[in-house]
Amino acid sequence: MCTSLLYTDLSGSVYAGRTLELPVELPYLAAFLPSGTQLSSKAGNHAPLTYESRYDIFGVVVPNGSVEDLKVVEGLNEAGLNFSLLAFADTHGPDDTQADDVPVLSAIDLGAWMLAQFSTVAEVREALEKQTVLVDPLAALGGVVPPFHYTVHDRSGASIVIEFFDGERHIFDNPLGVMTNSPRFDWHLTNLNNYTHLSNVDHSSATLLGQNFIQPDSGIATVTLPGSDTAVDRFVRAVYYAHFSEKADGPEASLRQLGHVMNKFDRPKGASVYSSAKASALTESATRLTGQQPAQKPEFITEYTSWITLIDLERSTVMLRTYNSLGYASFDLAALKAGATGPKVVPLEAFDQGSPDADKVLLAL
Amino acid sequence: MCTSLLYTDLSGSVYAGRTLELPVELPYLAAFLPSGTQLSSKAGNHAPLTYESRYDIFGVVVPNGSVEDLKVVEGLNEAGLNFSLLAFADTHGPDDTQADDVPVLSAIDLGAWMLAQFSTVAEVREALEKQTVLVDPLAALGGVVPPFHYTVHDRSGASIVIEFFDGERHIFDNPLGVMTNSPRFDWHLTNLNNYTHLSNVDHSSATLLGQNFIQPDSGIATVTLPGSDTAVDRFVRAVYYAHFSEKADGPEASLRQLGHVMNKFDRPKGASVYSSAKASALTESATRLTGQQPAQKPEFITEYTSWITLIDLERSTVMLRTYNSLGYASFDLAALKAGATGPKVVPLEAFDQGSPDADKVLLAL
Amino acid sequence: MCTSLLYTDLSGSVYAGRTLELPVELPYLAAFLPSGTQLSSKAGNHAPLTYESRYDIFGVVVPNGSVEDLKVVEGLNEAGLNFSLLAFADTHGPDDTQADDVPVLSAIDLGAWMLAQFSTVAEVREALEKQTVLVDPLAALGGVVPPFHYTVHDRSGASIVIEFFDGERHIFDNPLGVMTNSPRFDWHLTNLNNYTHLSNVDHSSATLLGQNFIQPDSGIATVTLPGSDTAVDRFVRAVYYAHFSEKADGPEASLRQLGHVMNKFDRPKGASVYSSAKASALTESATRLTGQQPAQKPEFITEYTSWITLIDLERSTVMLRTYNSLGYASFDLAALKAGATGPKVVPLEAFDQGSPDADKVLLAL
Amino acid sequence: MCTSLLYTDLSGSVYAGRTLELPVELPYLAAFLPSGTQLSSKAGNHAPLTYESRYDIFGVVVPNGSVEDLKVVEGLNEAGLNFSLLAFADTHGPDDTQADDVPVLSAIDLGAWMLAQFSTVAEVREALEKQTVLVDPLAALGGVVPPFHYTVHDRSGASIVIEFFDGERHIFDNPLGVMTNSPRFDWHLTNLNNYTHLSNVDHSSATLLGQNFIQPDSGIATVTLPGSDTAVDRFVRAVYYAHFSEKADGPEASLRQLGHVMNKFDRPKGASVYSSAKASALTESATRLTGQQPAQKPEFITEYTSWITLIDLERSTVMLRTYNSLGYASFDLAALKAGATGPKVVPLEAFDQGSPDADKVLLAL
């Protein structure tokens, strides 16, 4: 459903690529939230947790009821902290053991909470140790708990994964910078022990039973890459491409190189389908929410890549390509800060034709 | 090295996508040749074959010595005929049995010859029956025979593959519209009998030995797709995506859908590498030709997707994305015809930033 | 349906292993035919081809109507020539262009014809050049042409494949000694160019994105072996095991080693099934022939390994294991010659319990 | 290194198959221990745990120093309880927190301990709850902790896996009856969610892009089986064959069917190799122990299937095939009980030729 990876260039600068796949379009917004914005999170009957943002934030968000309550799906702050929310079917959070008057953080607000206040993964980790987080049912999901896990990267390349399963919160160091979906992160790590044969060097000739054989094409090295679009196989391929992809020189070449890598995870409509009877709660609620519910339910639905982001953590820029676009829109946190007098949101489809002037489109609203 | 496929939209309109992969950049040009251009082909000691173009042509070409002698790598004419040249390691053409005073066509000129004169695959086939074609050594390749085969599509979706092997010319009907590289086309067709299990429907639950198992992600249908970047595996994947990809409505949505499909065949630098000692004659000559020869030969070289084209055969438009671009440049044969007073060529790198005004860039020269 | 391979031991002696798979049991017989036996072959309206055997033959045969007309499925003669008949769906032989009074050989009699008269593959090849062979419809198959191809090995390790397709007879040198089923032999050879990465050396550790991964088990080298039981995948695996399997010392150890290799091609009932509506003409006729036709046609049928032979070409011994046996029966051409006063046949099920005294069982009849 | 699975026949009777793979031969013994035998286990400085056997036991054992101290690798008791010890690289047991005067069970003695005293998995589970077990370093392994996990089956088909990892003892219910090696059992269970597409039904025809393709062979259903010999892939294949293998009628047919299934896991010498420098502590100590240490260390070593057992839990019989045999030896606990006057052990190589009279061989000693 989502593929997320870190790419490091020749000089060690860090870039993040991610895709988002669902069988429906959520009411995505591109959003700029300047530092000084008042934010809050509410979980269950607990007192709301309120705080003021210390950093400018740009991201792709989804409104929960109103534009006052934005949930960050993918976000970056001016300090180069990058947050991504990805689907995680095994989500099962801890019980609520706190008194109602204790303000707790709802897991769905992890993105806003950390992008607003922290500049590094280490800061996030430290703050989380003191912060109770509950996986709270979400009205926008029809009362279902949000089935997500969360990755956080910073400019140093440090990365963590936050997962709620088996009734506990788990924070994993992520030395690979790669995440996809279920199962739990450490299962994927163990799975890589089954891929020690991976190499990008073509072995293009062999002598078998005295006969010589020649592979006339390049690329036979990739024959052992797992082929499917499931989270498990995408995780392995993401590690492969993040590792073996040529290290480019400078941010422009690096973003292009990352773009080619992310194209490997671009999923066309129809490439795989499943019975619409098996649609997830997330899909069902999205269909209701956005009025995409067709008169007649289709027999099959297909997940596809709604959008891809390429993020330069060093320079705090975000490139974004929607499914309906053949090119990228570019956003620059410094330019947005310089131009914005307050929060700005615009539906993502405004960028369906790509746009070199995406900042202006956002600022114009 | 190259992946080529046809995509058909809801209304039956035909679109062609192709990639080109080499470990070097050839001196590619974007070229517009208006009808009425004088063209010729010379093979061995034969009298040159000369003809005048009846159709406007746009394409990606490579100069053979001079810009007067352009070799078409990918081209489209105003009648919607589309020609692609793809690498074919098994090339071995027929002996020259004609007298020197008989003008014969050099295989490397097949593109110019057919785009200039014909509007359908049927016309091409008929003309080929009367036309001797020789696989003539090419000066630009250091005297090696050009190791290519050739695909031709038209607006009706008709498609053929022209291959020279085992000392004979073969023209195959191509009911799939798909082509990659070696081995010969009919080998690939036979190979598809090993993929009768392909389906795009996810089987996401199973009971094995009394236990229920659930695949939490979408995409398990793709688990049987062959994973590698060799021509054989790309052929199967190209058939899969051409077949199962959702049929879009209208040219804009169709080109976007085709773009997502072609992203599956976008090969990043470094994804696979091979010893530079195994560089082909084509690579070696290209390196010489373009002055890309580095002071010190690298240990490994990597093939990557130099460019991708998305072609609307119905409307005679071409979209083109180079490796150095995150977006597409658009060309429209009608606009070029309207604006051009003669042939126009411009190096492909002029479009490295994508360009909605690509026609103007070309016409401005 | 059948897997056939040659194994060479430390001293260069040659051993042949083969399996036979069908969804039914044919009325297989173990047969000993001493030299001096009168044999004949009849094709269409042609005069019968008659000849006397010069070599003792042991083999697995199927009676065509009567025990007087035995068709060799797997056979060995005292000179170490080994013949195997394997299913070949693409069979399409040449037209009959000879006069009726010319005796021609029916393809189904190739085994008896060559085992009776020749000691080496070279002799077989030479004789075939002068011998017309027709793929004649077989009464026992309900008038269908026998869908088989034929492999011949000798003590030197020389090997050929005889196939009738596209209306022509093809004799291929088989430097690998491996054969399975469709498609044609040279297609399989080309396919091996897609397996140049094969190696039996485990790569059990890797560093990816700075992390070390260890495969705790042995065997990861085999991760790139194609997994399925189709002829195409079995061909590749047969080459792999024939090539990498440890070379043993002496015939006993070699036959055991070959036995382990052939176990890889032992197909259990139920491992794969298909609709009984897709049963082949061969299966249908076998079902009629042997009275195995059940009162109610099952929905699915399953191919399984009816029997496996391990042959020592040097010493002219045959080991045979039926599906109903957990051990092998052993036959020795020298012992059979010493004990037999004429041809001997016994149903194969006589050896369902294995038998160290198999020769005696055969001689006792 | 080991593959273990349960097969259930038409009437619900349960049979167990297992292989054992190492790159060396341990000094295996076939052993019969009648009820009433005095047994003990010693771990660290703890008082020995002593007990008398209540059930007759037959098994494959390895002497630890002397024949008085037998370690059970594979065993069956007269009540139909079946114990198997399999390699488990992740072994890391709990700390020793008991006083020295408390008798504790050494993990390596789990087999003898449970086969001697219990008749069902439920009894074993209950007894384990009260019994401290320590993973104690083993002299025979050069002081290394024995890297094993343990499976237990009973006649009802109940099955558990006992693993010591992360410093804790884990007892998993094993509803599949399948076990191989690392990683931990529940990882394998999760992995099966990636195989929900498994089916044994051949899909042998497909229409792709309007063209019909036919797979001429049977077996394409198996195309999605993972191909390698690593524990992870063998686990999936073992589940596949245990599930889809045809259910036979009666013990003889069932043992033959199980034999065909286990042949799929028979690993020939040379099929994969690894550097002898990576030999495990177990291999190293075995080489010392058995005097197999060659004058010159080989560059590569190969794991192969030392032996396979087929066990009828209902009738308490064991069939055993060593690598050096093409057939099975049969043991019957009732016959052994009837004939034996005390414990009997014989080196496993006594059965290298298979033997229908294996009981007598054992009783004769």
Side-chain angles (χ1 to χ4, degrees):
Chain A
M1 311 194 171
C2 312
T3 305
S4 159
L5 59 84
L6 287 185
Y7 169 81
T8 308
D9 74 7
L10 267 183
S11 68
S13 283
V14 174
Y15 305 81
R18 75 129 333 148
T19 69
L20 183 138
E21 286 90 34
L22 279 178
V24 287
E25 289 294 306
L26 297 177
Y28 302 111
L29 306 170
F32 174 70
L33 299 181
S35 61
T37 301
Q38 292 298 321
L39 294 162
S40 74
S41 176
K42 179 139 181 54
N45 295 320
H46 286 275
L49 179 75
T50 60
Y51 55 95
E52 187 181 296
S53 69
R54 286 202 291 272
Y55 298 105
D56 298 321
I57 301 171
F58 174 78
V60 178
V61 304
V62 173
N64 184 39
S66 82
V67 81
E68 302 304 301
D69 188 13
L70 300 173
K71 306 306 186 191
V72 179
V73 181
E74 176 70 30
L76 175 75
N77 74 16
E78 59 182 311
L81 192 76
N82 175 212
F83 166 90
S84 308
L85 168 161
L86 294 87
F88 183 57
D90 303 329
T91 299
H92 170 211
D95 290 338
D96 184 357
T97 58
Q98 305 272 10
D100 278 359
D101 60 351
V102 177
V104 305
L105 178 62
S106 178
I108 196 68
D109 291 314
L110 273 163
W113 176 81
M114 66 179 69
L115 293 171
Q117 305 183 91
F118 310 111
S119 64
T120 65
V121 163
E123 284 177 24
V124 171
R125 234 187 193 293
E126 194 186 345
L128 276 172
E129 273 167 31
K130 300 173 209 143
Q131 179 61 54
T132 302
V133 185
L134 287 177
V135 184
D136 202 45
L138 204 60
L141 292 181
V144 163
V145 296
F148 304 118
H149 52 182
Y150 313 91
T151 73
V152 194
H153 315 302
D154 69 21
R155 283 181 182 165
S156 75
S159 182
I160 54 171
V161 174
I162 305 165
E163 296 186 332
F164 299 86
F165 59 82
D166 292 350
E168 286 181 46
R169 183 177 80 179
H170 301 258
I171 304 180
F172 295 104
D173 271 320
N174 185 352
L176 306 168
V178 166
M179 194 61 239
T180 57
N181 308 102
S182 292
R184 51 194 273 191
F185 177 70
D186 52 351
W187 191 98
H188 289 290
L189 273 191
T190 298
N191 192 37
L192 288 173
N193 294 324
N194 300 315
Y195 291 91
T196 53
H197 54 282
L198 288 180
S199 156
N200 70 334
V201 180
D202 287 339
H203 291 283
S204 300
S205 63
T207 301
L208 294 165
L209 296 170
Q211 298 305 110
N212 296 319
F213 297 96
I214 302 284
Q215 168 51 234
D217 201 355
S218 75
I220 202 164
T222 56
V223 83
T224 56
L225 280 179
S228 95
D229 282 337
T230 63
V232 169
D233 284 2
R234 286 185 286 111
F235 195 102
V236 177
R237 286 207 302 281
V239 168
Y240 181 92
Y241 285 109
H243 181 81
F244 288 114
S245 179
E246 200 170 282
K247 290 191 180 307
D249 192 5
E252 288 199 14
S254 296
L255 287 167
R256 288 192 305 248
Q257 179 71 5
L258 178 58
H260 291 294
V261 166
M262 297 314 292
N263 280 344
K264 288 290 179 198
F265 302 96
D266 187 12
R267 295 169 68 171
K269 287 182 184 175
S272 66
V273 303
Y274 54 96
S275 164
S276 63
K278 293 189 178 176
S280 67
L282 180 58
T283 297
E284 290 290 0
S285 62
T287 308
R288 275 195 310 274
L289 208 66
T290 59
Q292 295 172 49
Q293 214 147 10
Q296 203 175 334
K297 219 174 185 174
E299 188 181 355
F300 291 107
I301 52 180
T302 183
E303 297 204 3
Y304 60 93
T305 301
S306 280
W307 42 267
I308 296 177
T309 50
L310 313 177
I311 294 182
D312 179 342
L313 278 70
E314 189 70 32
R315 290 156 204 87
S316 294
T317 64
V318 176
M319 304 194 73
L320 181 145
R321 184 177 76 193
T322 64
Y323 193 81
N324 287 332
S325 173
L326 283 164
Y328 279 87
S330 290
F331 302 89
D332 178 333
L333 265 171
L336 289 170
K337 183 193 200 78
T341 53
K344 296 282 180 184
V345 295
V346 62
L348 218 56
E349 60 251 38
F351 307 101
D352 273 356
Q353 305 306 317
S355 172
D357 300 322
D359 290 337
K360 289 183 194 155
V361 173
L362 186 51
L363 292 172
L365 293 186
Chain B
M1 309 193 171
C2 312
T3 305
S4 160
L5 60 84
L6 286 186
Y7 169 80
T8 308
D9 73 7
L10 266 184
S11 68
S13 284
V14 174
Y15 306 81
R18 79 148 300 166
T19 69
L20 182 139
E21 286 90 33
L22 280 177
V24 288
E25 288 295 306
L26 297 177
Y28 301 110
L29 306 170
F32 174 71
L33 300 181
S35 61
T37 302
Q38 293 298 321
L39 295 161
S40 75
S41 177
K42 181 144 180 51
N45 295 320
H46 285 277
L49 178 75
T50 60
Y51 54 96
E52 188 181 295
S53 69
R54 286 200 292 269
Y55 298 105
D56 298 321
I57 302 171
F58 173 78
V60 178
V61 303
V62 173
N64 183 41
S66 83
V67 78
E68 302 303 301
D69 187 14
L70 300 174
K71 305 306 186 190
V72 178
V73 180
E74 176 70 29
L76 175 74
N77 73 17
E78 60 182 310
L81 192 76
N82 175 213
F83 167 90
S84 308
L85 169 159
L86 295 87
F88 183 57
D90 302 329
T91 299
H92 170 212
D95 290 338
D96 184 357
T97 58
Q98 305 272 11
D100 278 0
D101 59 353
V102 178
V104 305
L105 178 62
S106 177
I108 196 67
D109 291 316
L110 273 164
W113 175 81
M114 66 179 69
L115 294 171
Q117 304 183 90
F118 310 110
S119 65
T120 65
V121 162
E123 284 177 24
V124 171
R125 234 187 194 290
E126 193 186 346
L128 276 172
E129 272 167 32
K130 300 173 209 142
Q131 178 61 54
T132 301
V133 185
L134 287 177
V135 184
D136 202 45
L138 204 60
L141 291 181
V144 163
V145 296
F148 304 118
H149 52 182
Y150 313 91
T151 72
V152 195
H153 315 302
D154 69 22
R155 282 182 184 164
S156 75
S159 182
I160 53 171
V161 174
I162 305 165
E163 296 187 331
F164 299 85
F165 60 82
D166 292 351
E168 288 182 46
R169 183 178 80 182
H170 301 258
I171 303 181
F172 295 104
D173 271 320
N174 185 351
L176 306 168
V178 166
M179 193 63 241
T180 58
N181 308 103
S182 291
R184 49 192 276 190
F185 177 69
D186 53 350
W187 191 98
H188 289 290
L189 273 191
T190 298
N191 191 38
L192 288 172
N193 294 324
N194 301 315
Y195 291 92
T196 53
H197 53 283
L198 289 180
S199 156
N200 71 333
V201 179
D202 287 339
H203 291 283
S204 301
S205 64
T207 301
L208 295 165
L209 296 170
Q211 296 306 110
N212 296 319
F213 297 95
I214 302 285
Q215 168 52 235
D217 202 354
S218 75
I220 201 163
T222 56
V223 84
T224 56
L225 280 179
S228 94
D229 282 337
T230 63
V232 169
D233 284 1
R234 285 184 286 109
F235 195 101
V236 177
R237 286 208 302 280
V239 168
Y240 181 92
Y241 285 109
H243 181 81
F244 288 114
S245 179
E246 199 170 284
K247 290 189 179 310
D249 193 5
E252 289 200 12
S254 296
L255 288 167
R256 287 191 307 247
Q257 180 70 6
L258 178 58
H260 290 293
V261 167
M262 296 315 293
N263 280 343
K264 288 289 177 199
F265 301 96
D266 187 13
R267 294 168 70 171
K269 287 182 183 176
S272 67
V273 303
Y274 54 96
S275 165
S276 63
K278 293 191 179 174
S280 67
L282 179 58
T283 297
E284 290 290 359
S285 63
T287 309
R288 276 195 309 275
L289 207 68
T290 59
Q292 295 172 48
Q293 215 147 8
Q296 202 175 336
K297 217 173 184 173
E299 187 180 354
F300 290 107
I301 53 181
T302 183
E303 297 204 3
Y304 60 93
T305 300
S306 281
W307 43 267
I308 295 178
T309 51
L310 313 177
I311 294 182
D312 180 340
L313 277 70
E314 189 71 32
R315 291 154 203 89
S316 294
T317 64
V318 176
M319 306 196 73
L320 182 145
R321 185 176 76 194
T322 64
Y323 193 80
N324 287 334
S325 173
L326 283 163
Y328 279 86
S330 289
F331 302 90
D332 179 332
L333 264 170
L336 290 170
K337 183 192 200 80
T341 54
K344 296 282 180 184
V345 296
V346 61
L348 218 57
E349 60 251 37
F351 306 101
D352 273 355
Q353 306 306 318
S355 173
D357 299 322
D359 291 336
K360 290 182 193 154
V361 173
L362 185 53
L363 291 172
L365 293 187
Chain C
M1 308 192 174
C2 311
T3 305
S4 159
L5 60 83
L6 286 186
Y7 169 80
T8 308
D9 74 7
L10 266 184
S11 68
S13 283
V14 174
Y15 306 80
R18 76 134 324 153
T19 68
L20 183 138
E21 285 90 34
L22 280 177
V24 286
E25 287 295 307
L26 297 178
Y28 301 111
L29 306 170
F32 173 71
L33 298 181
S35 61
T37 302
Q38 293 298 321
L39 296 162
S40 74
S41 177
K42 180 142 181 53
N45 296 320
H46 285 276
L49 179 75
T50 59
Y51 54 95
E52 188 182 295
S53 69
R54 285 201 293 271
Y55 299 104
D56 299 321
I57 302 171
F58 173 77
V60 178
V61 303
V62 173
N64 183 40
S66 82
V67 79
E68 301 304 300
D69 188 14
L70 300 174
K71 305 305 185 190
V72 178
V73 181
E74 176 70 28
L76 174 74
N77 72 18
E78 59 182 311
L81 191 76
N82 175 212
F83 167 89
S84 308
L85 169 160
L86 295 87
F88 183 58
D90 302 330
T91 299
H92 169 211
D95 291 338
D96 185 357
T97 59
Q98 305 273 10
D100 278 0
D101 59 352
V102 179
V104 304
L105 178 63
S106 178
I108 197 68
D109 291 315
L110 273 164
W113 176 81
M114 65 178 70
L115 293 172
Q117 305 184 89
F118 309 110
S119 64
T120 66
V121 163
E123 284 178 23
V124 171
R125 234 186 194 293
E126 195 186 345
L128 277 172
E129 273 167 32
K130 299 171 210 147
Q131 178 61 56
T132 301
V133 185
L134 286 177
V135 185
D136 201 45
L138 203 60
L141 292 181
V144 164
V145 296
F148 304 118
H149 51 183
Y150 313 91
T151 72
V152 195
H153 315 302
D154 68 22
R155 283 183 182 162
S156 75
S159 182
I160 54 172
V161 174
I162 304 165
E163 297 186 332
F164 299 85
F165 59 81
D166 291 353
E168 286 182 47
R169 183 177 81 182
H170 300 259
I171 304 181
F172 294 104
D173 272 320
N174 185 351
L176 305 167
V178 167
M179 194 63 239
T180 57
N181 308 104
S182 293
R184 49 193 274 189
F185 177 70
D186 54 350
W187 191 98
H188 289 289
L189 273 191
T190 299
N191 191 38
L192 288 172
N193 294 324
N194 300 315
Y195 291 92
T196 53
H197 54 281
L198 289 181
S199 155
N200 70 334
V201 179
D202 286 339
H203 291 283
S204 301
S205 63
T207 301
L208 295 165
L209 297 170
Q211 297 306 110
N212 296 319
F213 297 96
I214 302 284
Q215 168 52 234
D217 201 355
S218 76
I220 201 164
T222 55
V223 83
T224 57
L225 280 179
S228 94
D229 282 337
T230 64
V232 168
D233 285 2
R234 285 184 286 112
F235 195 102
V236 177
R237 285 206 303 280
V239 168
Y240 181 92
Y241 285 109
H243 181 81
F244 288 113
S245 178
E246 200 170 282
K247 289 189 180 310
D249 193 4
E252 287 199 15
S254 296
L255 287 167
R256 288 193 305 248
Q257 180 70 7
L258 178 58
H260 290 295
V261 166
M262 297 314 293
N263 280 343
K264 288 290 180 198
F265 301 96
D266 187 14
R267 295 168 69 171
K269 288 183 183 176
S272 67
V273 302
Y274 56 96
S275 165
S276 63
K278 292 190 179 176
S280 67
L282 180 57
T283 297
E284 289 290 359
S285 63
T287 308
R288 274 197 309 274
L289 208 66
T290 59
Q292 295 173 48
Q293 213 146 9
Q296 204 176 334
K297 219 174 184 175
E299 189 179 355
F300 291 108
I301 52 181
T302 183
E303 297 204 3
Y304 60 94
T305 300
S306 279
W307 42 268
I308 296 178
T309 50
L310 313 177
I311 294 183
D312 180 340
L313 278 70
E314 190 70 32
R315 290 155 204 87
S316 293
T317 63
V318 175
M319 304 193 76
L320 182 145
R321 186 176 75 194
T322 63
Y323 193 80
N324 286 332
S325 174
L326 283 163
Y328 280 86
S330 290
F331 301 90
D332 180 332
L333 264 171
L336 289 170
K337 184 195 199 78
T341 52
K344 296 282 179 183
V345 296
V346 61
L348 218 58
E349 59 253 38
F351 307 100
D352 273 356
Q353 305 307 318
S355 173
D357 300 321
D359 291 335
K360 290 185 194 153
V361 173
L362 186 51
L363 291 172
L365 293 186
Chain D
M1 309 194 172
C2 311
T3 305
S4 158
L5 59 84
L6 286 185
Y7 169 80
T8 308
D9 73 8
L10 267 184
S11 68
S13 284
V14 175
Y15 306 81
R18 76 133 326 152
T19 68
L20 183 139
E21 285 90 33
L22 279 177
V24 288
E25 288 295 307
L26 296 177
Y28 301 112
L29 306 170
F32 174 71
L33 299 181
S35 61
T37 302
Q38 292 299 320
L39 295 162
S40 74
S41 177
K42 179 142 180 52
N45 296 320
H46 285 276
L49 179 74
T50 58
Y51 55 96
E52 187 181 296
S53 69
R54 286 202 290 271
Y55 298 105
D56 298 321
I57 302 172
F58 174 78
V60 178
V61 303
V62 174
N64 184 40
S66 82
V67 79
E68 303 303 301
D69 188 14
L70 300 173
K71 305 307 186 189
V72 178
V73 181
E74 177 70 28
L76 175 74
N77 73 16
E78 59 182 309
L81 192 75
N82 174 213
F83 167 90
S84 308
L85 168 160
L86 296 87
F88 183 57
D90 303 330
T91 299
H92 170 211
D95 291 337
D96 184 357
T97 58
Q98 305 272 11
D100 279 359
D101 58 352
V102 177
V104 305
L105 178 63
S106 178
I108 196 68
D109 291 315
L110 273 164
W113 176 80
M114 66 179 70
L115 293 172
Q117 304 183 91
F118 309 111
S119 65
T120 65
V121 162
E123 285 178 24
V124 171
R125 235 188 193 291
E126 194 187 345
L128 276 172
E129 272 167 32
K130 301 171 209 144
Q131 178 62 54
T132 302
V133 184
L134 287 177
V135 184
D136 201 44
L138 203 59
L141 291 181
V144 164
V145 296
F148 305 118
H149 52 182
Y150 313 91
T151 72
V152 194
H153 315 302
D154 69 21
R155 282 183 183 163
S156 75
S159 182
I160 54 171
V161 174
I162 305 165
E163 296 187 331
F164 299 85
F165 60 81
D166 293 352
E168 286 182 46
R169 182 178 81 180
H170 301 259
I171 304 180
F172 295 104
D173 271 320
N174 185 351
L176 305 168
V178 166
M179 194 62 241
T180 57
N181 308 103
S182 292
R184 51 193 273 190
F185 177 71
D186 53 350
W187 191 98
H188 289 289
L189 272 192
T190 299
N191 191 38
L192 288 172
N193 294 324
N194 300 314
Y195 292 92
T196 53
H197 54 283
L198 288 180
S199 156
N200 71 333
V201 179
D202 287 338
H203 291 282
S204 300
S205 63
T207 300
L208 295 165
L209 296 170
Q211 297 304 111
N212 295 320
F213 297 96
I214 303 284
Q215 169 51 234
D217 202 356
S218 76
I220 202 164
T222 56
V223 83
T224 57
L225 280 180
S228 95
D229 282 336
T230 63
V232 169
D233 284 2
R234 285 184 286 111
F235 194 101
V236 177
R237 285 207 303 280
V239 168
Y240 181 91
Y241 285 109
H243 181 81
F244 288 113
S245 178
E246 200 170 282
K247 289 190 181 310
D249 192 4
E252 289 200 14
S254 295
L255 287 167
R256 288 192 304 248
Q257 180 70 6
L258 178 58
H260 290 293
V261 166
M262 297 315 292
N263 280 343
K264 288 290 178 198
F265 301 95
D266 186 14
R267 294 168 69 172
K269 288 182 182 176
S272 68
V273 302
Y274 55 95
S275 164
S276 63
K278 292 191 179 175
S280 68
L282 179 57
T283 297
E284 290 289 2
S285 63
T287 309
R288 275 196 312 273
L289 207 66
T290 58
Q292 294 173 49
Q293 214 147 10
Q296 203 175 335
K297 218 174 185 175
E299 188 180 355
F300 290 107
I301 52 181
T302 183
E303 297 204 3
Y304 60 94
T305 300
S306 280
W307 42 268
I308 295 177
T309 50
L310 312 177
I311 294 182
D312 179 341
L313 277 70
E314 189 70 31
R315 291 155 204 87
S316 294
T317 64
V318 176
M319 304 194 75
L320 182 145
R321 185 176 76 194
T322 65
Y323 193 79
N324 287 333
S325 173
L326 283 164
Y328 279 87
S330 289
F331 301 90
D332 179 333
L333 264 170
L336 290 170
K337 184 195 199 79
T341 52
K344 296 282 177 184
V345 296
V346 61
L348 218 57
E349 59 252 38
F351 306 100
D352 273 357
Q353 305 306 318
S355 172
D357 300 322
D359 291 335
K360 289 184 195 154
V361 173
L362 186 52
L363 291 172
L365 293 184

